[in-house]
Amino acid sequence: MSYALLSVSDKTNLVPFAKGLIRNGFSLLSTGGTYRTLLEAGLEVKAVEDVTGFPEMLDGRVKTLHPVIHAGILAKETPEHFAEITRQHIQAIDMVVVNLYPFRETIAKPDVSLEEAIENIDIGGPTMLRAAAKNHERVTVVVDPRQYKPILEALQAHGEVPLDMRQKLALAAFQHTAVYDSSISAFLSQAFGEGAFPEEFALGGQRKMTLRYGENPHQEAAFYVADPKPGSIANAKQHQGKALSYNNIVDLDAAWQLVNEFADTAACAIIKHTNPCGLATGSGVQEAYSRALAADPVSAYGGIIAFNQAVDGPTAQQVTETFMEAVIAPSFTEEALEAFKVKDKLRLLETGVAKADAAQWVERVGGGFLVQSRDVQPINPADFKCVTKTKPTEAQMQDLLFAWKAVKHVKSNAIVVAKDGQTLGIGAGQMNRVGSCKIAFTEAGSEAQGAVLASDAFFPFRDSIDEAAKAGIVAVIQPGGSIRDEESIAACDEAGIAMIFTGVRHFRH
């Protein structure tokens, strides 16, 4: 007689799977809610407490933590081990079916309390999973309802779960508990005030999809979800379109982070290769899109579009007039979804809410990884310092704030030329700052007259200001901090340009 122990939080397809196990000669052993579900379905099942002779206690905190259970799971298929458990009247357990308390889903709630989170830390479940996975030479371990069907098919075909399948299931179990523990570690590090950078850093995620390839066709790639909270690309719903590529996902995230800089007004960002080619605000999403597209219609072709408000039908209709790769927004009206159907390959992603990501940023390097906090420094104009004789007008100050929000999302060396809530020219990723300036001024053309300029870092020489004066720039915003700041200030004063120092740098590598 084979025994299967079932104790699951997610009861999807539980009863059909349990019936399949019974058909294949298994007796069922279960706990708590799982036991009641099986019993109510009319299945023959033993309660764990009837086997252990010990009741569930401490409000269910202790159910399976008992030698009878763990000896039954951990006994190797050797005469010595089986003789020992027989002497102790312990039944060998051949399959463990467990999925864990929903800790990640619990902490995703915006109002979750520390007490509620802690009560959703599973103890017995991971212990059983690890025991079963360790003893996979004999025991089958099951962590996901999606594994039920292939397991039943294997039992039907072979009369047992083959070793190679048990090995893969064991690996899945260890991966599952590792991700589970990493979520707990990350949450408690914040809750207990250890800060963003604990002595040991655990990173976990669940694979959402395997991608066709990475940045290039010869590279492999997959997409993992690490944070279940809404408002991110990782948890977005795709309404239509082709499968997402690696580059799509990177660009979608860049566009989404940028557009959510503008919480109080409709905004649209169009991204190519993680850099904005157009960014604008408007009275509504359609006006914001029209202005973002007009900023650089040539570069926008084949781009990624992000909106910070719901997309309506007229806006969707206008978007379909240009070839684009993907659109991401908090939501889409029914009219918008209908209008987008004419571009059935266009990817539409709905995030549910508009929210910039404040989570830590992890980047792999040889032999390890770097972790840093997101660049979410609040913008406080009261901390700005005007360092020139000319002061910016109120309208110019609004343009400077707009450009300052935009420039931190441009690859360094970054220059943004903007006016009236619209980018006019962007210089990105150049090896010297004056080179980025020249690119931005070329893109802006005559529209640079009367516009403002933002620089993500200080000007090491006055040459960028001299170029700005030639282009007709009227105000500049930058961190300051160069040993040659006085030269740049003098260049501004000579040209009648207002310049603001923010004291904050926005490098983006």
Side-chain angles (χ1 to χ4, degrees), residues 12 40 198 209 261 264 306 351 390 394 409 420 437 470 479 494 501:
T12 303
E40 289 167 3
M209 65 183 76
E261 292 282 351
D264 300 325
T351 62
T390 302
E394 181 58 34
H409 295 270
D420 297 331
C437 286
K470 293 177 189 176
E494 290 168 18
F501 280 4

Side-chain angles (χ1 to χ4, degrees), residues 348-430:
L348 300 182
L349 279 83
E350 180 176 330
T351 62
V353 296
K355 188 185 75 170
D357 188 2
Q360 295 159 318
W361 183 260
V362 180
E363 185 167 342
R364 175 71 190 267
V365 296
F369 53 88
L370 298 169
V371 182
Q372 68 170 338
S373 60
R374 289 268 189 180
D375 185 1
V376 291
Q377 179 82 9
I379 296 174
N380 185 3
D383 296 331
F384 293 174
K385 179 181 179 183
C386 183
V387 294
T388 51
K389 297 174 183 176
T390 302
K391 310 302 179 187
T393 66
E394 181 58 34
Q396 290 168 357
M397 194 66 199
Q398 292 305 308
D399 284 339
L400 288 169
L401 289 171
F402 172 87
W404 188 240
K405 290 179 180 179
V407 78
K408 82 175 190 180
H409 295 270
V410 179
K411 289 288 184 74
S412 299
N413 290 308
I415 297 292
V416 170
V417 175
K419 187 177 182 182
D420 297 331
Q422 179 188 34
T423 57
L424 304 174
I426 296 173
Q430 299 306 298

Side-chain angles (χ1 to χ4, degrees), residues 76-88:
K76 294 166 64 177
E77 198 164 15
T78 63
E80 293 80 10
H81 276 204
F82 269 65
E84 187 170 357
I85 64 172
T86 298
R87 285 195 301 272
Q88 299 297 332

Side-chain angles (χ1 to χ4, degrees), residues 211-240:
L211 305 174
R212 289 174 60 199
Y213 52 78
E215 286 182 286
N216 299 290
H218 61 275
Q219 295 173 265
E220 295 180 326
F223 184 21
Y224 288 83
V225 176
D227 187 345
K229 294 178 183 177
S232 69
I233 180 177
N235 297 285
K237 175 184 178 182
Q238 185 170 350
H239 284 282
Q240 68 166 53

Side-chain angles (χ1 to χ4, degrees), residues 10 23 95 102 138 140-141 154 208 226 273 289 302 366 374 407 410 420 432 503:
D10 179 358
R23 285 196 303 270
M95 183 180 293
R138 182 181 65 80
T140 301
V141 59
K208 183 169 185 175
H273 308 301
Y289 172 70
R374 289 268 189 180
V407 78
V410 179
D420 297 331
N432 63 77

Side-chain angles (χ1 to χ4, degrees), residues 88-379:
Q88 299 297 332
H89 307 290
I90 294 173
Q91 173 64 50
I93 295 172
D94 306 281
M95 183 180 293
V96 172
V97 185
V98 172
N99 51 63
L100 308 176
Y101 293 172
F103 181 80
R104 296 174 69 202
E105 292 78 6
T106 299
I107 63 173
K109 299 175 185 177
D111 57 348
V112 64
S113 66
L114 177 61
E115 180 183 4
E116 183 182 4
I118 287 176
E119 284 307 311
N120 276 276
I121 296 174
D122 202 324
I123 302 301
T127 306
M128 287 189 291
L129 288 178
R130 290 175 60 84
K134 175 176 179 174
N135 203 27
H136 64 269
E137 285 284 338
R138 182 181 65 80
V139 179
T140 301
V141 59
V142 188
V143 298
D144 191 327
R146 291 174 295 182
Q147 298 167 340
Y148 295 168
K149 183 179 178 182
I151 287 171
L152 291 179
E153 289 173 347
L155 288 171
Q156 187 64 36
H158 308 289
E160 65 175 2
V161 179
L163 176 59
D164 62 341
M165 190 175 193
R166 295 199 303 273
Q167 290 172 337
K168 291 175 182 176
L169 291 168
L171 175 59
F174 281 123
Q175 290 169 337
H176 187 65
T177 57
V179 171
Y180 192 79
D181 284 341
S182 73
S183 298
I184 296 169
S185 172
F187 177 81
L188 294 183
S189 288
Q190 296 296 320
F192 295 164
E194 186 173 357
F197 308 108
E199 186 70 24
E200 294 184 306
F201 190 92
L203 179 65
Q206 182 174 5
R207 190 178 67 198
K208 183 169 185 175
M209 65 183 76
T210 300
L211 305 174
R212 289 174 60 199
Y213 52 78
E215 286 182 286
N216 299 290
H218 61 275
Q219 295 173 265
E220 295 180 326
F223 184 21
Y224 288 83
V225 176
D227 187 345
K229 294 178 183 177
S232 69
I233 180 177
N235 297 285
K237 175 184 178 182
Q238 185 170 350
H239 284 282
Q240 68 166 53
K242 297 163 63 177
L244 293 171
S245 72
Y246 182 97
N247 293 333
N248 287 157
I249 293 168
V250 172
D251 284 342
L252 279 161
D253 186 63
W256 185 239
Q257 300 307 323
L258 170 54
V259 81
N260 278 294
E261 292 282 351
F262 302 90
D264 300 325
T265 185
C268 175
I270 305 176
I271 294 285
K272 287 287 286 292
H273 308 301
T274 72
N275 282 305
C277 51
L279 170 70
T281 57
S283 58
V285 290
Q286 186 172 15
E287 183 185 15
Y289 172 70
S290 297
R291 301 182 76 225
L293 181 64
D296 188 351
V298 174
S299 298
Y301 182 84
I304 302 289
I305 307 172
F307 295 95
N308 67 343
Q309 295 180 5
V311 177
D312 56 24
T315 306
Q317 178 62 48
Q318 187 175 347
V319 169
T320 63
E321 295 170 3
T322 305
F323 170 68
M324 296 292 183
E325 287 281 354
V327 179
I328 187 169
S331 61
F332 300 88
T333 66
E334 290 299 322
E335 293 78 11
L337 293 174
E338 189 63 31
F340 277 127
K341 286 181 180 178
V342 300
K343 294 282 189 177
D344 61 343
K345 294 182 180 178
L346 177 67
R347 305 158 178 91
L348 300 182
L349 279 83
E350 180 176 330
T351 62
V353 296
K355 188 185 75 170
D357 188 2
Q360 295 159 318
W361 183 260
V362 180
E363 185 167 342
R364 175 71 190 267
V365 296
F369 53 88
L370 298 169
V371 182
Q372 68 170 338
S373 60
R374 289 268 189 180
D375 185 1
V376 291
Q377 179 82 9
I379 296 174

